[in-house]
Amino acid sequence: MKCYYDLHIHSALSPCGDDEMTPNNIVNMAIIKGLDAIAVTDHNSCGNVRAVMEAAGDRLLVVPGMEVETAEEVHVVCYFPTIGAAEQMQEVVRAHLPPVQNQKDIFGNQLYMNAADEVTGEEGLLLVRATTLPIEAVFRSAAACGGIAIPAHIDRSSYSVLSNLGFIPPELPVRTVEITPKNRARMEKEFETYHILSNSDAHYLEDIAEPVYFLDISSKNVEQILCKIE
């Protein structure tokens, strides 16, 4: 079966994400657009994923995730089989997040929300910054939590493994890369030995992906998606 996806979406917990990126707004927009599966991947946190999963219920598949910034300032998208596994990874990431407070007048709000879109708190630490975890440690930690790690938006001129390191380290267990839709056709041949994901990296509701890219899976569940892209 075809599973149309957008596996890189930011909620209002990411300071660069719009405050309208609430659990229900994200879920309902994805449904309106005709998607089958999404992942909420906030910067260095999965703090709103549980609420998004509760808001979605059986209407939409939600893959627990987060976007980790490595010590090299490389963005890596991590996906997990359960919310518990994602929260386990969050503990690792938070322990390696520098103690710098968010200045919301500069960076934006970092809002925790429940499944009713009610604000339940604000994150004090600035989430959009590099952790002290080297890229190898991010991959290793994600695997230890039962998840997988994927280099994010490798075609971009900043915060990508190619822009910051110049290559994909051969010692990393990379089988899937993320390439933004506008550059996918141009780069597919070069990365034909990898699985390719193309996501929206949406920070605003209108940017959530249309049903263009899909995974061919036998049944719609998180395990099938992770198996397809691991």
Side-chain angles (χ1 to χ4, degrees):
M1 63 178 292
K2 291 181 178 179
C3 179
Y4 289 95
Y5 67 85
D6 187 354
L7 301 179
H8 190 161
I9 297 173
H10 292 270
S11 80
L13 180 56
S14 293
C16 45
D18 188 68
D19 288 355
E20 294 301 312
M21 296 294 277
T22 68
N24 281 280
N25 282 349
I26 291 171
V27 168
N28 289 330
M29 181 61 79
I31 292 172
I32 288 170
K33 291 203 170 188
L35 297 177
D36 300 301
I38 64 169
V40 169
T41 52
D42 284 310
H43 291 287
N44 294 320
S45 178
C46 66
N48 277 346
V49 173
R50 187 180 290 273
V52 175
M53 296 177 75
E54 292 176 6
D58 296 329
R59 299 181 298 153
L60 180 73
L61 182 63
V62 179
V63 180
M66 72 179 71
E67 184 175 19
V68 180
E69 186 172 338
T70 74
E72 302 89 351
E73 297 186 346
V74 172
H75 286 187
V76 176
V77 181
C78 301
Y79 304 113
F80 302 92
T82 65
I83 182 59
E87 290 171 345
Q88 182 181 353
M89 179 67 174
Q90 179 176 270
E91 292 180 9
V92 176
V93 172
R94 193 170 184 89
H96 291 84
L97 194 63
V100 176
Q101 295 297 302
N102 180 38
Q103 299 180 57
K104 58 185 180 181
D105 57 324
I106 297 175
F107 298 106
N109 295 320
Q110 298 182 147
L111 305 177
Y112 289 107
M113 296 183 170
N114 62 23
D117 290 353
E118 298 167 332
V119 176
T120 58
E122 295 190 39
E123 174 56 56
L125 289 179
L126 178 62
L127 295 175
V128 284
R129 64 178 295 114
T131 66
T132 58
L133 289 166
I135 191 169
E136 296 89 350
V138 172
F139 274 75
R140 185 170 59 250
S141 298
C145 294
I148 60 175
I150 294 172
H153 41 64
I154 64 169
D155 53 305
R156 290 188 180 168
S157 59
S158 61
Y159 300 112
S160 74
V161 66
L162 296 185
S163 67
N164 288 26
L165 300 183
F167 64 103
I168 297 176
E171 65 272 17
L172 294 180
V174 177
R175 289 179 289 276
T176 300
V177 296
E178 182 188 58
I179 300 175
T180 56
K182 69 176 182 179
N183 290 319
R184 179 166 178 156
R186 176 175 64 84
M187 298 180 69
E188 272 185 325
K189 183 67 175 176
E190 182 181 356
F191 292 92
E192 62 183 357
T193 59
Y194 296 89
H195 298 300
I196 297 176
L197 288 180
S198 291
N199 301 302
S200 70
D201 193 7
H203 292 73
Y204 296 87
L205 287 171
E206 61 267 26
D207 294 334
I208 292 175
E210 303 290 336
V212 175
Y213 299 103
F214 64 87
L215 296 171
D216 191 1
I217 57 179
S218 58
S219 58
K220 195 171 70 173
N221 57 60
V222 174
E223 290 75 14
Q224 280 284 306
I225 289 179
L226 296 189
C227 182
K228 196 71 176 182
I229 64 178
E230 69 175 354

